[in-house]
Every structure is written in C-alpha cells, then in structure tokens.
Amino acid sequence: MSKVITPRGEDAARWYTDVVLRSELADYSPVKGCMVIRPQGYALWERIQGALDARFKETGHQNAYFPLFIPESFLHKEKAHVEGFSPELAVVTIGGGKELEEKLVVRPTSETIMYSMFAKWIRSYRDLPLLLNQWSNVVRWEMRTRLFLRTTEFLWQEGHTAHATEPEAEAETLKILDLYYDFAHNQMALPVLKGLKSEQEKFAGALRTYCIEALMQDGKALQAGTSHNLGQNFSKVFDVKFQNREGGTEHVWQTSWGVSTRLIGALVLGHGDDAGLILPPALAPTQIVVVPIWKTDEEKSTVRQTVEKLIDSLAPHVRIHADLREEVSPGFKFNEWELKGVPLRIELGPRDLAKGQVMVASRLDRRKEPVPLGELVVKLPELLAQFQRSLYDRALKFRNDNTRPAGTYSEFKEQIETLGGFFEAYWCRNSQCETKIKEETKATIRCIPLDGQDGEGACLFCGSLSRTRVILARAY
RNA sequence: CGGGGCGUAGCGCAGCCUGGUAGCGCACUUGCUUCGGGAGCAAGGGGUCGGUGGUUCGAAUCCACUCGCCCCGACCA
C-alpha cells in the first residue's frame, strides 16, 4: 500500500477510499458490493451503538430481534412499500436443497415482519404505545456501492413503534428526529438540518419522512438519519388493531426510524483531512494515545515507568492507549495515529521527564503544547471537550460558508456545478418542477427545513409564488 | 446496464510496443546501529505474470475468448 493518502484536492473519491482502507476501518470483501468492517471500524460502530442505544432506552424503547427472512407475500401487502423495494431485493428460493413453497426475502427493512407480529401482540389501548428497536443487518441490492456510504449489506438500527393516536405517532416521529439531531451535534460533532422529505424522496410506505441532512466537505449532502410517520398505512394492511377506551376498534398509528453504518462514512467525509481520519472525542474508541520516546536503555526504563503510572491514573477518566511498540519509530507512530484519527497524542521523552511534563498534540491542528504531569488528570478532559467543540465549530463554519441562496435558476445551475454545497430556494411543491431540477442539475431537494418556513418567494424552477423553503444539493 | 481504467510477490508498480524464461519500491525475516515527525546499513525469503485456448523452437509480451475489480453515469440509507 502506498505511504500517502491521495490528497483530497486531487481526487476526492480516491481520498475517501484511501482513508477508509488505510485507517483500517473496513476492507473490500470477496462479495461484490459488500464490505468487511475491521476492528477499528467496528469499535467506532460500537461507540455509536452505545450512545444511541442509551438514548433509545432513556426514551422508553426496548430492543428486540426479528428474523432475517421475510415471506415474500408480506412485502406485497403495502403497495408503495413493495414498489419502493422490489428492485433491490435479495430473494432466497432454495432451502435445504429444496425449492421453497414461498420465497423468502432477505430483509431490506423490517416493517412487514415486525407488524405481522404487532397484530398478534396488540389487543387494547393498554398495550400501547409499543416502542421497539432492533439492531441488525439489512440487504439492499444496490447497483453502485461505496464503503460505508452504500453497501449491499449494512448494519443499522430500526425503531418501530405503534400508538393509539395520530398526534402521538407524530410526536414520536419528531422526538426521534430530535434525538438524532442531538446525537449528530453532540456526539458526531456534525451540524445537521432537520427537515421533511418531499413526496418523491420519502420512505416507501410512509405518510411523511423527516430527516437529518448533513453537508460533507466535498460539497455533497448526506442523509444521516430518517424518521417516518407511517400513519395507518401498514396497520391497515397487517391488521394491527386495538380496542380503544370507548370500546371501539381502531388501527394503530405507527412510526419507524433508523440510522446506519453510513454514519461512519459521514464522520470520514465530514471531518477527515489529507492526513486521514479525525474522530470526535465523544465517539473515538481511543481518545488519547501515548507515544513514549527514548534513546538509551536507562531512558527506556524510566520513560516506561512514567507511562505506566500515567495510564493507571488516567484510564478511569479517558480512553487512553500507550503505544509501546519498539519496532517502529516515534515519527511513524505519530503518522499512524493521526491517520486513525485519535484526537489527542501525548509525547513523553527524556526531555519532558526532566521538566516534569508531557507534550500534548492535537489532531485538529497538529499543534503541540506542554502540560505538567500533575495537571493531566484535569487538563486532558478539558482538552477533549474543547476538541469536540472546535471540531463542531469547524464543521458548522464550513456548512455556513457553503450554504447560499440559489438565486435565479441559471445562477443555481452554474453554482451547483462550480461551488457545490447547500442551496436555499423556494419550491412550488409540484413534483414536476422537482423532477426537472433533478434531471437538469443532478441536485435534489434534500429537505424542507423545519425552521425558517415563515417567508415566501418564487419557485426556483417555475417561478410561481411559494411559501415552501427548501434546501437543494447534490447528494451521496 | 452504458462509458472509462486496471489485473505481474502481501501492497503499489515497471517490463508488453520491438517474444528469449521476471524486476523495482514498500512491507516481511535475521543481525547491528538507531529512536523528539513515516530510521540506516547488510544479508535473506517470497511470484501457476487473473483464467482458457491459439500462434511460435520459445509467450508476462502477439491473437481470440473469458472472469474479476475499481472509477464515472442511471437506482438508493
């Protein structure tokens, strides 16, 4: 493997692949379109899982697990759903050497199999709300794949809830959207827009799809999470009914929502640079790496002793790792840990020992500052918190600098090509205008932002007066 | 599926045009010296040249077919 990553300015696509492969997040698999998530990448996923799972539990959700295989007929019950997913299904036709009576679909998402069970479990309003989440893999036979951003099989979480009333379902949909928004900001250090998807872009089978939408450093948008209000679309076809307080029978109101391993791609594209990954401290499996430096055997033993004491005192407070390998030089380690995105690095050598200090280097700007040994326990958590803020601020500044009014349609067409980024415009809500824009510019309406819908303007395409403000961008 | 590119050592590549029995860098092994931004020297190990068939005294090299991967477009988290 080459020693350096292809510079982003030279080839952004190659840069992304280089970073993912070289930082050992993932590797290509023998199966086309699939990937192997390596220990580095999986550790990151586990941190994402941990943070989200805690939030789901705090908001009253329970985890469960439903089967990988779904009877083909289930998919066909909801018209829009089957039309949306048919082209990308993997289907099992043979089991145990025999042709199956009914084909089994490998789940592309679990609405249908879950709700067939909901129908069995829900009888009364007392059984509601039912708040479930599942961590699983799903398969969607994509034509074109990219590590983490779009693979044939991916890992995700899918929440599925059932409620007694429409307002309750809508409240749940928005509660999860807020949860995702908060997670993106505070854990991933990525500013995201909360918005509503257009009819064309919404989930197959949903009433409404809300999303969080992020802007990557190459000027392309990335859908980072979705929360759907399913209304009664599925409960009607799966006959998920309950008896209300008044004794009448109603279909439940449902939601589903998810985020996937795509979030790892968002971290790479959102924060990385030509030296590799940059991980937010809140999610970094290793927050601080210690690189000891020595020349003589005598120095080696004193440095090592100090490092061991350091680790013992700091390990309860921060996720810290000492790189004691002797077969590679300190300089090599600096580069390697920077590639892997570890936020802070402590350098500790004879010169530092003499002064009773260490050098602390930040992955953000690669600057180093001396910190007295005795102050580390207090100072390191502060530096990590500061790192987290700075990383977010930098991403926010980037987004602000790359969000602009679309202007006239011809101005927009030119700028989407030359500048990229988010464009603000008004849209008449006519899907023909939306399609035309997409065909002519490759940009899509990313969302109708929930904030700032109080003005009015001319539709970007047809010019008719509109009160719907939208964000457009080219997207992953 | 359309367009472009590539398959030669674990990785990145040269060699191919003009056939003569395979080479470079990194990585790996051993030893010594090193270690504050990808260490140096020395000695080693490792390849059915993607596959099949053909041309030829002889094929990594020429011809035909085939398989696979990557990138760009149409579908999508």
Side-chain angles (χ1 to χ4, degrees):
Chain A
M1 202 178 296
S2 66
K3 211 162 200 178
V4 287
I5 295 166
T6 306
R8 198 163 38 185
E10 193 179 295
D11 185 342
R14 183 93 186 268
W15 167 83
Y16 175 79
T17 306
D18 281 355
V19 171
V20 171
L21 294 177
R22 294 213 50 227
S23 64
E24 297 178 0
L25 290 178
D27 203 350
Y28 290 109
S29 81
V31 181
K32 182 178 175 157
C34 295
M35 69 172 175
V36 176
I37 302 175
R38 302 184 67 179
Q40 293 282 336
Y42 203 78
L44 187 52
W45 179 239
E46 284 180 318
R47 305 244 34 122
I48 291 171
Q49 274 188 309
L52 284 171
D53 201 65
R55 287 165 188 253
F56 297 152
K57 303 262 172 70
E58 277 165 23
T59 46
H61 302 84
Q62 290 181 297
N63 285 334
Y65 187 81
F66 291 74
L68 170 69
F69 298 125
I70 302 176
E72 194 182 35
S73 58
F74 282 26
L75 266 290
H76 289 276
K77 292 193 179 190
E78 215 288 332
K79 191 166 169 287
H81 192 65
V82 67
E83 280 172 7
F85 282 106
S86 291
E88 50 188 63
L89 294 179
V91 183
V92 178
T93 58
I94 295 174
K98 275 191 258 175
E99 186 99 4
L100 297 174
E101 276 186 39
E102 179 173 4
K103 292 176 190 165
L104 297 173
V105 168
V106 179
R107 66 177 160 225
T109 179
S110 302
E111 274 75 7
T112 58
I113 191 142
M114 284 198 183
Y115 305 163
S116 72
M117 297 307 293
F118 283 18
K120 206 169 155 181
W121 298 335
I122 295 169
R123 286 287 166 267
S124 151
Y125 68 91
R126 292 180 204 274
D127 297 323
L128 298 174
L130 179 61
L131 307 173
L132 295 186
N133 178 63
Q134 157 165 294
W135 290 97
S136 71
N137 59 339
V138 284
V139 168
R140 297 180 187 178
W141 216 265
E142 301 291 348
M143 295 191 229
R144 210 165 145 234
T145 57
R146 292 198 70 188
L147 295 168
F148 289 114
L149 299 172
R150 173 163 298 105
T151 45
T152 298
E153 178 190 11
F154 58 93
L155 305 184
W156 77 344
Q157 105 352 258
E158 48 180 325
H160 293 268
T161 70
H163 306 264
T165 67
E166 221 233 307
E168 271 183 55
E170 179 69 4
E172 167 78 5
T173 312
L174 290 170
K175 177 196 278 182
I176 297 298
L177 187 71
D178 282 336
L179 187 158
Y180 286 157
Y181 178 87
D182 190 72
F183 173 78
H185 281 70
N186 294 315
Q187 247 91 25
M188 296 185 54
L190 276 179
V192 292
L193 292 176
K194 273 190 285 193
L196 184 65
K197 284 291 183 190
S198 69
E199 286 298 302
Q200 268 187 41
E201 300 277 333
K202 77 178 184 185
F203 175 74
L207 211 58
R208 276 189 288 284
T209 290
Y210 294 96
C211 63
I212 52 169
E213 203 70 27
L215 183 64
M216 302 292 99
Q217 293 181 92
D218 58 2
K220 288 168 86 172
L222 186 79
Q223 180 174 304
T226 47
S227 184
H228 317 292
N229 183 333
L230 302 176
Q232 292 176 312
N233 290 351
F234 286 89
S235 64
K236 283 180 179 163
V237 293
F238 282 94
D239 211 26
V240 188
K241 288 183 296 196
F242 71 101
Q243 192 171 45
N244 61 26
R245 282 168 201 271
E246 292 74 38
T249 301
E250 288 181 60
H251 287 103
V252 298
W253 299 84
Q254 296 185 272
T255 81
S256 71
W257 27 274
V259 298
S260 71
T261 35
R262 171 180 259 198
L263 291 180
I264 293 175
L267 288 174
V268 177
L269 285 167
H271 296 312
D273 63 19
D274 281 350
L277 278 179
I278 299 180
L279 294 177
L283 294 176
T286 299
Q287 296 171 310
I288 303 169
V289 65
V290 182
V291 176
I293 297 155
W294 58 66
K295 284 190 175 66
T296 64
D297 279 351
E298 194 188 331
E299 284 169 351
K300 180 164 132 186
S301 79
T302 52
V303 166
R304 284 190 72 135
Q305 276 173 27
T306 311
V307 168
E308 275 161 28
K309 272 191 272 177
L310 204 71
I311 298 289
D312 286 345
S313 65
L314 294 172
H317 309 284
V318 291
R319 293 190 291 277
I320 190 165
H321 168 74
D323 187 350
L324 297 171
R325 288 176 298 171
E326 296 190 32
E327 64 275 14
V328 290
S329 70
F332 182 90
K333 293 176 184 176
F334 295 170
N335 285 286
E336 182 169 278
W337 291 108
E338 282 174 6
L339 169 64
K340 291 185 175 170
V342 174
L344 297 180
R345 179 181 67 243
I346 291 177
E347 302 173 15
L348 203 172
R351 294 210 295 264
D352 301 303
L353 273 186
K355 295 186 213 164
Q357 64 169 41
V358 298
M359 295 303 291
V360 179
S362 166
R363 176 64 181 84
L364 251 192
D365 52 16
R366 290 163 135 187
R367 268 206 269 275
K368 304 181 190 186
E369 62 168 318
V371 177
L373 277 168
E375 294 178 19
L376 284 172
V377 175
V378 177
K379 187 82 178 178
L380 288 176
E382 282 174 19
L383 287 174
L384 287 172
Q386 194 183 314
F387 189 105
Q388 183 83 24
R389 280 195 302 275
S390 304
L391 191 62
Y392 176 80
D393 289 345
R394 194 173 77 161
L396 180 62
K397 181 177 188 309
F398 178 85
R399 191 186 72 183
N400 289 340
D401 290 347
N402 288 281
T403 301
R404 39 185 75 84
T408 66
Y409 187 55
S410 66
E411 283 167 348
F412 168 70
K413 273 210 272 198
E414 196 211 313
Q415 295 199 330
I416 193 85
E417 193 69 45
T418 56
L419 300 171
F422 280 158
F423 289 85
E424 300 168 314
Y426 282 88
W427 170 54
C428 65
R429 284 185 170 263
N430 185 327
S431 69
Q432 281 166 14
C433 287
E434 182 180 11
T435 303
K436 276 293 191 186
I437 292 171
K438 187 174 176 180
E439 282 171 5
E440 295 181 9
T441 68
K442 290 182 216 152
T444 48
I445 294 174
R446 299 317 304 157
C447 69
I448 302 160
L450 298 192
D451 298 328
Q453 291 294 342
D454 40 13
E456 59 180 25
C459 170
L460 178 65
F461 191 78
C462 71
S464 62
L465 192 67
S466 158
R467 299 180 66 84
T468 302
R469 193 174 71 95
V470 296
I471 297 294
L472 296 112
R474 285 187 180 162
Y476 273 104

